[in-house]
Amino acid sequence: MVTYGLVLYVILPGIHCCLHGTISSGWLVDYRSSFCKYRGAGKMGHYRNKIIGNAHFRKDWQRRVRCWFDQAGRKKRRRLTRQKKAVKIAPRPVEGSLRPVVRCPTFKYNTTVRAGRGFTLEELKTAGIHPKVAMTLGIAVDHRRRNRSSESLQANVQRLKEYTSKLIVFPKKANKPKKGDSEAAELSLATQLTGHIMPIQQTKPVSKARAITEDEKKISVFRAMRVARANAKLVGIRQKRLKEKAEAELKLKK
């Protein structure tokens, strides 16, 4: 054991550590040593070589606080902006273009429907409406969306047909009406729609409470879903294995 001033160096078999203080006041292991973890009972002030905390409470918070005194003014400004927009686009609907009915993604939300970005090209073609003409009639068009099921296709085609049956088309020039424009009697009855354009209704199957049957108890929906997912994932590998097996059998026959 060798001492140099107030620092005590202890040399033990396989251990070399540096200790601060004296034996009588307790040992405090230097944080640089990764071997010794003993800390004595002596009170040495702040623990380890860390900065002393200094809380800053006197901050100029009034310069950084965000107040909401303009809430009422903003509300009025938004209402006036909506009124100006309605007057500008009249007699078109205030809400804007007609949107399709789409299902929400993921297994958790796919039971609910909502308004989509626009109708697909296939839906417009089935309804007999050209995409460029659809945009002039207040129908939103989305060239990226695809129809994955016939049910969604038929539902949106029916929605388009219902919309066009109620539509009143104003001529570009009042004295020169073209084919497809509404008659003068219908134009006089036109009013601006302020609510939702053909609101989407959430349809939920209504089922009464009943006892679970024995056959239903034997079926595991979780397991069935996992098996179906695995079958869809492994379809390519299984086809490849069957092909290789058939080729191997054909070689053996030769």
Side-chain angles (χ1 to χ4, degrees), residues 8 20-28 38 40-44:
L8 179 66
H20 285 265
T22 61
I23 298 173
S24 60
S25 63
W27 293 0
L28 181 64
Y38 172 75
K43 296 181 180 179
M44 299 289 292

Side-chain angles (χ1 to χ4, degrees), residues 25 66 89 98 180 204 250:
S25 63
R66 177 70 173 89
I89 66 173
L98 178 70
K204 293 184 179 180
L250 188 63

Side-chain angles (χ1 to χ4, degrees), residues 2-246:
V2 185
T3 59
Y4 294 93
L6 295 176
V7 181
L8 179 66
Y9 284 87
V10 182
I11 301 174
L12 298 174
I15 298 176
H16 180 205
C17 60
C18 176
L19 306 176
H20 285 265
T22 61
I23 298 173
S24 60
S25 63
W27 293 0
L28 181 64
V29 180
D30 189 5
Y31 67 93
R32 292 170 293 179
S33 173
S34 60
F35 298 97
C36 296
K37 297 182 180 179
Y38 172 75
R39 183 191 179 196
K43 296 181 180 179
M44 299 289 292
H46 196 271
Y47 178 47
R48 292 187 175 175
N49 189 19
K50 296 180 180 178
I51 191 169
I52 299 173
N54 183 17
H56 301 271
F57 291 117
R58 296 185 179 181
K59 297 179 180 179
D60 191 8
W61 66 272
Q62 290 182 336
R63 284 199 306 119
R64 299 178 178 86
V65 71
R66 177 70 173 89
C67 299
W68 204 11
F69 299 132
D70 59 344
Q71 181 184 11
R74 281 175 174 269
K75 181 180 179 181
K76 182 179 179 181
R77 186 173 67 189
R78 287 195 300 268
R79 189 182 74 249
L80 294 175
T81 304
R82 287 194 298 268
Q83 290 174 358
K84 288 178 182 178
K85 181 184 176 183
V87 172
K88 185 179 179 180
I89 66 173
R92 301 181 187 91
V94 175
E95 193 182 44
S97 302
L98 178 70
R99 305 287 176 177
V101 180
V102 297
R103 290 209 169 269
C104 299
T106 71
F107 179 75
K108 184 177 181 180
Y109 299 105
N110 68 351
T111 55
T112 58
V113 292
R114 63 172 176 84
R117 183 181 181 87
F119 291 89
T120 63
L121 301 178
E122 188 179 357
E123 290 167 354
L124 294 169
K125 184 178 180 181
T126 309
I129 304 171
H130 196 275
K132 289 186 178 180
V133 176
M135 288 185 282
T136 63
L137 299 176
I139 299 171
V141 180
D142 186 7
H143 63 89
R144 293 171 295 184
R145 189 167 67 87
R146 300 288 181 269
N147 291 103
R148 303 296 183 185
S149 63
S150 59
E151 289 83 0
S152 66
L153 174 65
Q154 294 301 325
N156 285 319
V157 168
Q158 187 63 31
R159 186 175 174 84
L160 284 169
K161 289 181 178 179
E162 186 180 351
Y163 174 77
T164 51
S165 66
K166 298 177 181 179
L167 191 65
I168 298 175
V169 183
F170 279 73
K172 215 169 189 181
K173 293 182 180 179
N175 55 351
K176 291 183 179 180
K178 293 183 178 180
K179 184 182 178 182
D181 296 338
S182 300
E183 297 179 358
E186 293 180 349
L187 297 179
S188 60
L189 300 173
T191 55
Q192 189 177 30
L193 183 65
T194 55
H196 294 290
I197 306 172
M198 299 175 63
I200 298 171
Q201 303 293 334
Q202 293 288 344
T203 57
K204 293 184 179 180
V206 180
S207 58
K208 294 182 179 180
R210 60 176 178 81
I212 301 173
T213 61
E214 293 296 330
D215 295 336
E216 290 174 343
K217 289 180 180 180
K218 294 177 183 178
I219 299 170
S220 174
V221 179
F222 175 78
R223 182 175 175 78
M225 287 180 60
R226 281 299 181 94
V227 171
R229 189 181 298 172
N231 291 337
K233 184 179 179 181
L234 302 173
V235 61
I237 299 172
R238 288 171 178 172
Q239 287 179 357
K240 183 181 178 183
R241 288 175 182 173
L242 290 172
K243 185 179 179 181
E244 290 175 354
K245 186 178 179 181

